[in-house]
Every structure is written in structure tokens, then in C-alpha cells.
Amino acid sequence: MLTTSAYAEVVNNHFNIFNILNKLKILTIIFLLTALAVLAAHSLDSINQDIGRHLKTGEVIWQTKSVPQTNLFSYTEPDRPFINHHWLSEVVFYWINRLVGLPGLIVLKVIILTAAFSLAVAAVYQRAKIWVLSPALLLGFLIFFDRSDIRPEIFSYLFLAFFLFAIFRAKYSGKFKYLYILPAVEIIWVNSHIYFIIGPALLFFLLLDQKVRRVEPPVFKKTLQIFLLTGLATLLNPNFIKGALAPLTILKNYGYTIVENQSIFFLTDYGILGRQIALFEISLVILIISFIVAFSQKRPVIFEFLAALFFTVLAIKMIRNFGLYGLAFGPLIALNFSTLKLPTWLRTKPAKVGIYLSGLALIWILIVSAVNNNFYQWYQSGKRFGLTIPAGAARGVEFIKANKIQGPVFNNFDVGSFLIWKLYPEQKVFVDGRPEAYSTDFFEKIYKPMQTDPAVWGKYSREYGINYVFFDHYDITPWARTFLARISQDPNWSKIYLDDSAVVFIKRTPGNKNLINRFEINTSH
């Protein structure tokens, strides 16, 4: 029989072990979120793409105190109606860049993404097993990773995470105070990014879940009211009903193939994003197993199932939706496996301590591999750790400005946003990275044929009065490859600038003779 002092020693030892385990659990989460933040702190390799246009649009909105309703940056279709569904994000980007520059935008992105994944953790922390949540969260982020650039959608990830947090708190803890905030969050979301439609969709899934679980009528009524208010909040945007319905109308046949809008099957056939798609496929197997476990235990996971099905279908249809899937994956898996227990031999206190310490060691290795860029090489990504801002097309644009070369310019799709940033309003672009801002006929009958058919090029280059060509010469589209090969041999055009990002050709005219004499690059070899 234990004496009083011996019993006290056993109790103290138990609580000491308990405190150690609790601290290790918290430390594991902190380490994991730190690792995700480090992975998100990478170079802005998409500098030539959308970010420049977002910055210029934010500047225009701030200066004019209005959101443009037409395609004002292009001279080819300047009056075409355009619904800007992320104008608020662009104003934020403009001001951050104005105050602290592009590195500040990388820091902002890291903060927002870390906050989003922190909310995902907080949503299920009280119910989840840490040994399930940690690897699930990490796998989700690896799938998410390709969407970790500076885009308006980073705000969608934050709002999605908050919706999940509020819904899980209401479902599992009976705390509705966070649900009451959702209509207000939706007002910000509808003006920040087109994924805002996901907010009402998740609340609809919650209503179905409550109906199946037969919650008390006052609880269901309360959720229904929040759902309706959140739906009405989508109307509070500059385009009212058209803006609220934009997610249902924006995705169409643009006449131009956008890689991020393609399915995993298309990309697999072309060998694109192989590492990421392989991780996604592995995660699907785990997700299916988790629901088999949950349903076999007759657990009420209707909301979780509908949300998982929703995000899975979106991810399969378009790889741009990998971010949504990757963020939701961790908490959904953790909830489905929440009743699982470790094998008996791993449930001892020393074994649990060993598991935590092993996990911390692996996370530390991941952090180090990100800092020394080994992770990015393994991931087959050109990104690098840090706040590096590549020059992109900047030197080519400076050449245009320094030599006072006037438009109209013929540019490729990818580099248009950079040219908008640096040249608007003095010059407008031929096209930019918003396929929805141009007609299908423009892409199918003008833009692509101009690059593949010399006769069409001759017709429209004269009609538009094109004076110079500015191309990102890493454009891998077949029409771009054909065009660059042909214009390099065209005696009517002279190559006057070339760097590792951009190439410039200028029309042989008397007005351009001096420029050609000074800068022409011999293309005969």
C-alpha cells in the first residue's frame, strides 16, 4: 500500500508527464506553422504575370475612387465590360507596395497564409489527434504550395479558414458567436476575390448537416438566418447582382487555354505539376479511407463529407482550386480520424514523448531544407527561400522608356500585366492575363492567328498600327514559338533588345531607323 508521500510522488510524476506532453503538443503545432510560414516565404517568381496589373488597378481605384467597369488597359477591346471581383485586394496590394515595396507583399502573404492555416488548426484542435493533424496539415500544404504566390486569392484562404473555424465551433462546441460574424466577413470576401461563393455554400452544407442530425428548430432557424444574410451580403459589391453571380458565369470557353484552369488529367498528359498531382492523388486515398472510418462508426459527418466532395471536385476540375482543397484537407482528415487510437505500445507516456520529439525533428529538417532551398528542388519548383524579387521584364521595359519607343505594342498574354504596371497610362497593351476581359473571337480570330498566320499578322499589324513587339520569350505556347521563330526572320522587323526574360522587335520604318542602327541584334547566326 502506498504511503501518502509515495502517492503524492506518483501524482506529481503523472502531472509532470502530462504537462510535458501538453507542452510538446503545443510546440509541435508552433513548429509546424513556422515551417508552413517558412515555405510560404519564397521569391516572387510570377513577377511578369498578374501582380503588376493588380498594383496598377489598385492605384487607379485609389486615385479615381471608383472601380473600372471596362477593359481600360487594352487598346484592342477597351470598351468591353469587365467585372472586377477582387478590387479590394488590389487596393491593399497597392498600398503595401507603396509603403514597403514588393518584399512587403511577400511578408503580407506569409502572414495571411499562416493565419489561414492557424485557423484551420484552431477549428479542430480540441477534437483532433495531434499525430493525425500534423501530417495531414503538412500534406495539405504541400498540395496547396503552388498557390502560395501573391494573388488576391490569399484573402479567400483566410476567409475560408474562418468560415470552417466558425462552422466547426458551432457544430461541435455549440458556440454560435463566430457564425454571427460570417455575413460581415462575406461583405469583405465578395470584394476581395471570386471564391466568395464558397461562404454561402459551406453554410448550406451546414444546414443539410443539421437537418440530418435533427438539431433543435431554434438552432436550425438561427443557422438559416445567418445563411440568408451571408447570401445577401454577396450583393454588396460594385456590380450588385452581376457581381454576385460572377462565379457562375466567369468560367467559360475563352478561346485561350489557361494552365491553372485545366484538370489534373490534362496536366498529367502533358507532364505538368507531376509532384503536386502525385501528392494530391495520395491525399485522395487518405481522404476516402478517413470517411470510410467515420461512416463505419456512424458518426454525423454530413457537413464534412459535402465539403470534402465539393473541394475535391473543384480540385479535379481545375488545379487552381488545389489551394482550397489543400487548406480544407487537414482539418477534415483530423476530424474523421479523431476517434482512432495509437497502438497500445505507443500509448505509453515515454512513447508519446518520443513521437513528439521525432515529429519536431522532422519538422526542423523541413524548415532547414526550405531555407537552403533543397525543398524547392525536390518539389520541382523554381521558387527560392527569401524576399527576392526577380527583375522579370523590368529591364526590357526600361529599354522602352529610355529610348522613348512608342506604341502600339504587340505583346504576349503572360507579360501584359507587367506592361500595364510599368507603361499605363502612357501606353496600353494588346492583351493581358485576364481572359475574361476579352472576347472569344479576339483570341480565336485575332491574337492566336496573328502569331501563326503571316497573312493575319500583316492585316492586323497594319490595322492596329503596331510599332513594336514585346514578348516574354519563355512563352511555351505553340503559337508563340511559331511567331518568335518567324518574326526573327521577317525583314520588316528588327530585333533590338534581348535579355533572359524579354525580347523586343521594332518595325522597320524611317522613324525607327536610328533605333535600329544603334541596337539591332544580328539574327543571322
Side-chain angles (χ1 to χ4, degrees):
M1 185 173 180
L2 290 175
T3 63
T4 303
S5 59
Y7 178 77
E9 184 177 353
V10 170
V11 170
N12 287 335
N13 288 337
H14 172 78
F15 279 100
N16 284 338
I17 291 292
F18 178 79
N19 288 334
I20 290 172
L21 289 173
N22 194 45
K23 289 177 181 178
L24 285 173
K25 180 180 180 180
I26 295 172
L27 188 61
T28 299
I29 292 298
I30 292 173
F31 256 55
L32 185 59
L33 292 174
T34 301
L36 302 188
V38 170
L39 291 174
H42 56 70
S43 55
L44 181 55
D45 285 359
S46 58
I47 186 68
N48 276 6
Q49 297 172 12
D50 293 339
I51 185 61
R53 187 188 70 251
H54 292 318
L55 294 173
K56 179 57 67 173
T57 306
E59 178 184 354
V60 170
I61 293 170
W62 183 258
Q63 290 178 347
T64 63
K65 302 300 184 290
S66 64
V67 180
Q69 300 292 311
T70 59
N71 183 10
L72 77 163
F73 296 128
S74 169
Y75 68 83
T76 53
E77 293 194 319
D79 300 321
R80 182 173 174 80
F82 173 70
I83 295 178
N84 187 333
H85 45 74
H86 44 238
W87 68 270
L88 186 57
S89 300
E90 293 173 327
V91 172
V92 173
F93 287 168
Y94 163 69
W95 268 104
I96 295 295
N97 180 59
R98 181 174 175 178
L99 293 173
V100 292
L102 289 175
L105 284 176
I106 297 178
V107 173
L108 173 69
K109 178 252 300 186
V110 171
I111 292 172
I112 289 175
L113 295 185
T114 305
F117 277 85
S118 297
L119 280 170
V121 170
V124 297
Y125 183 77
Q126 294 177 340
R127 296 180 61 84
K129 297 288 193 300
I130 190 66
W131 56 272
V132 174
L133 179 59
S134 296
L137 201 71
L138 180 57
L139 178 56
F141 188 84
L142 292 178
I143 297 166
F144 175 98
F145 177 73
D146 199 60
R147 306 304 300 176
S148 62
D149 282 321
I150 301 170
R151 300 180 173 99
E153 69 188 64
I154 62 175
F155 294 99
S156 278
Y157 300 134
L158 181 63
F159 301 140
L160 166 59
F162 187 80
F163 265 74
L164 290 174
F165 171 79
I167 288 170
F168 286 141
R169 281 301 176 94
K171 178 176 179 177
Y172 290 108
S173 302
K175 296 179 180 178
F176 273 75
K177 61 181 179 180
Y178 300 107
L179 281 185
Y180 295 135
I181 306 174
L182 297 186
V185 173
E186 187 68 17
I187 294 174
I188 304 173
W189 197 350
V190 73
N191 292 289
S192 300
H193 190 251
I194 200 166
Y195 278 156
F196 67 85
I197 194 69
I198 292 171
L202 291 177
L203 286 172
F204 179 69
F205 297 157
L206 178 61
L207 285 170
L208 294 178
D209 179 278
Q210 291 179 342
K211 202 70 175 175
V212 172
R213 289 189 292 119
R214 298 179 181 179
V215 299
E216 297 178 357
V219 173
F220 183 84
K221 182 179 179 180
K222 193 183 303 182
T223 306
L224 179 61
Q225 290 172 342
I226 295 169
F227 166 71
L228 294 174
L229 287 173
T230 303
L232 288 173
T234 65
L235 299 173
L236 301 180
N237 68 85
N239 297 283
F240 195 52
I241 294 177
K242 286 185 177 180
L245 296 178
L248 306 178
T249 60
I250 193 172
L251 296 175
K252 58 182 182 179
N253 176 22
Y254 298 125
Y256 189 87
T257 301
I258 310 296
V259 171
E260 63 184 15
N261 287 355
Q262 302 309 306
S263 71
I264 62 171
F265 308 110
F266 175 91
L267 297 177
T268 299
D269 289 342
Y270 281 85
I272 302 173
L273 298 178
R275 185 81 70 192
Q276 191 180 23
I277 291 175
L279 291 171
F280 173 69
E281 291 170 344
I282 292 170
S283 75
L284 280 182
V285 174
I286 298 172
L287 188 64
I288 291 170
I289 293 173
S290 77
F291 277 103
I292 291 174
V293 170
F295 285 130
S296 67
Q297 297 174 345
K298 298 181 180 180
R299 294 176 53 214
V301 290
I302 302 303
F303 170 82
E304 290 83 350
F305 177 75
L306 292 174
L309 182 64
F310 180 63
F311 291 128
T312 299
V313 170
L314 288 178
I316 290 173
K317 287 178 67 67
M318 292 186 185
I319 58 103
R320 72 181 304 153
N321 298 323
F322 270 20
L324 300 172
Y325 175 91
L327 177 59
F329 177 79
L332 290 174
I333 289 293
L335 285 174
N336 285 345
F337 285 141
S338 62
T339 57
L340 290 184
K341 293 182 179 180
L342 287 168
T344 304
W345 63 279
L346 285 176
R347 275 187 274 165
T348 63
K349 299 300 188 297
K352 287 183 177 180
V353 170
I355 291 173
Y356 280 124
L357 292 178
S358 298
L360 288 170
L362 291 173
I363 295 170
W364 177 250
I365 291 172
L366 176 62
I367 292 173
V368 172
S369 71
V371 172
N372 64 23
N373 293 315
N374 287 334
F375 166 80
Y376 302 104
Q377 293 176 13
W378 170 82
Y379 199 83
Q380 300 171 340
S381 170
K383 298 177 175 62
R384 291 295 179 266
F385 173 74
L387 307 181
T388 305
I389 310 296
R395 288 170 292 176
V397 171
E398 288 306 312
F399 175 82
I400 298 298
K401 289 182 174 181
N403 292 285
K404 298 182 173 57
I405 300 175
Q406 299 300 311
V409 58
F410 180 73
N411 61 276
N412 65 313
F413 182 88
D414 291 338
V415 83
S417 293
F418 192 94
L419 298 182
I420 288 170
W421 181 26
K422 297 298 183 179
L423 296 178
Y424 184 85
E426 289 77 15
Q427 295 190 41
K428 293 188 176 183
V429 299
F430 190 88
V431 67
D432 67 272
R434 300 168 298 162
E436 69 274 19
Y438 299 84
S439 65
T440 301
D441 281 351
F442 170 78
F443 287 113
E444 293 185 342
K445 297 180 179 180
I446 299 177
Y447 177 66
K448 289 191 290 186
M450 284 180 71
Q451 298 174 68
T452 57
D453 188 334
V456 177
W457 166 254
K459 174 186 175 181
Y460 284 110
S461 63
R462 288 191 299 270
E463 185 175 312
Y464 287 120
I466 292 170
N467 185 49
Y468 73 99
V469 173
F470 193 110
F471 250 60
D472 173 354
H473 58 76
Y474 287 106
D475 189 332
I476 63 172
T477 58
W479 46 86
R481 296 291 91 194
T482 299
F483 175 72
L484 289 176
R486 178 173 55 80
I487 198 170
S488 295
Q489 304 301 320
D490 191 330
N492 297 312
W493 293 83
S494 169
K495 183 189 293 184
I496 59 172
Y497 181 83
L498 177 68
D499 65 20
D500 58 0
S501 179
V503 60
V504 177
F505 297 88
I506 197 164
K507 191 172 184 179
R508 291 188 187 275
T509 64
N512 292 330
K513 185 176 180 180
N514 288 336
L515 280 171
I516 294 172
N517 289 339
R518 291 171 59 196
F519 298 111
E520 184 168 28
I521 299 171
N522 189 346
T523 59
S524 61
H525 300 290

